[in-house]
Amino acid sequence: MITLDFTGDMSNARRAVFQAAARRWDDVLNTSFDPVQVDGDTLTGLVIEANIQPIDGAAGVLGQAGPTMLREDTGLPVKGILQFDDADIARLEAEGSFADVILHEMAHVLGFGTLWAMIGLIAASGTNDPRFTGPAAAREFAALLPDEGPFVPIANTGGAGTREGHWRELIFGDELLTGVLYGTNRPLSRMSIASFEDLGYQVDYSAADPFALPSFQQLALMGITEAVRTCDLCRVDRPEPRMVPC
């Protein structure tokens, strides 16, 4: 179970958004683990530090999100951080995308995109066609597009934290875990859930949202017509996690 450690001042309404995201991910996967000692505390589940504070103003760095401590035995997170700039969050709230940004970034704390390279789940890194090689996600991708395998296309543009850390938006459109959020319907697909199984989590596929690959026309209607653009999710720093003995 995910525990949120709120630091600094945060309104109850904003806390509720983080709490809803944690409940959603708890429905998708199991973050509990055997007891481990971390900084004098005994942890049995993922703890995420969450805070919103002034950083550099609107349209600068959105914040940082990712795991900060990993178990040595499984390589899965025991602690992580979600830290955001107050000015950017106010804009996301006004645009109606705050909740999905928190849900998306919490996935990175859980290891989506942030642990792939560390455990060797990226093929053709640095090329125009990098792929995620986890077998469970590959199986679900094959169900969506049988002739385009064997592995899942991942982001091939953007800087650190974006490139090779998300699904490729020109293929997967408005799926929650592409690098840019579009529209108001941002489904969490079975393929995304499968990628967490590839990391070592126990997952529940019944928690997936309905999802089908968009057509070229649908991509155009979403505004996804090119591979290089400015996006909020491209401006999030990723911490360097350290290992915790078990």
Side-chain angles (χ1 to χ4, degrees):
M1 184 174 179
I2 297 170
T3 298
L4 295 170
D5 177 19
F6 292 104
T7 60
D9 294 329
M10 189 185 302
S11 69
N12 289 335
R14 287 179 168 180
R15 288 186 180 216
V17 172
F18 284 83
Q19 290 162 344
R23 288 193 299 271
R24 177 71 170 114
W25 285 116
D26 278 332
D27 288 340
V28 171
L29 48 84
N30 181 11
T31 62
S32 63
F33 44 74
D34 292 335
V36 60
Q37 293 292 318
V38 179
D39 298 333
D41 295 323
T42 301
L43 303 184
T44 58
L46 175 62
V47 176
I48 301 176
E49 177 188 344
N51 71 76
I52 297 173
Q53 62 185 39
I55 297 179
D56 60 0
V61 174
L62 178 61
Q64 63 170 326
T68 56
M69 297 184 186
L70 310 174
R71 289 182 64 98
E72 277 188 344
D73 53 356
T74 65
L76 292 177
V78 298
K79 276 195 170 185
I81 188 168
L82 287 169
Q83 181 184 63
F84 300 100
D85 191 312
D86 182 70
D88 287 308
I89 292 302
R91 178 176 54 80
L92 294 174
E93 288 172 322
E95 294 172 352
S97 58
F98 175 42
D100 280 342
V101 168
I102 298 304
L103 189 64
H104 175 109
E105 293 301 333
M106 198 171 288
H108 291 306
V109 178
L110 292 163
F112 183 90
T114 51
L115 298 181
W116 291 353
M118 183 182 300
I119 59 180
L121 289 175
I122 299 177
S125 178
T127 72
N128 289 331
D129 189 24
R131 302 279 181 129
F132 178 77
T133 62
R139 177 196 68 227
E140 297 300 327
F141 176 54
L144 293 169
L145 199 62
D147 298 327
E148 196 55 38
F151 302 127
V152 185
I154 56 178
N156 57 0
T157 61
T162 300
R163 182 185 174 93
E164 299 182 9
H166 298 89
W167 303 137
R168 199 174 305 169
E169 65 186 89
L170 288 174
I171 296 174
F172 299 107
D174 59 357
E175 210 275 350
L176 178 69
L177 297 181
T178 62
V180 182
L181 298 185
Y182 290 94
T184 57
N185 180 37
R186 296 151 183 159
L188 176 67
S189 67
R190 285 178 57 92
M191 184 183 70
S192 287
I193 293 177
S195 73
F196 288 101
E197 183 177 355
D198 289 322
L199 292 178
Y201 288 103
Q202 294 178 328
V203 302
D204 182 356
Y205 286 99
S206 71
D209 298 316
F211 176 75
L213 290 177
S215 66
F216 288 122
Q217 182 183 48
Q218 289 169 323
L219 288 169
L221 289 171
M222 293 176 200
I224 307 175
T225 57
E226 59 185 27
V228 180
R229 70 197 77 241
T230 300
C231 65
D232 290 314
L233 303 180
C234 304
R235 298 184 289 107
V236 180
D237 295 331
R238 306 296 180 206
E240 187 69 30
R242 65 180 176 89
M243 289 292 181
V244 175
C246 299

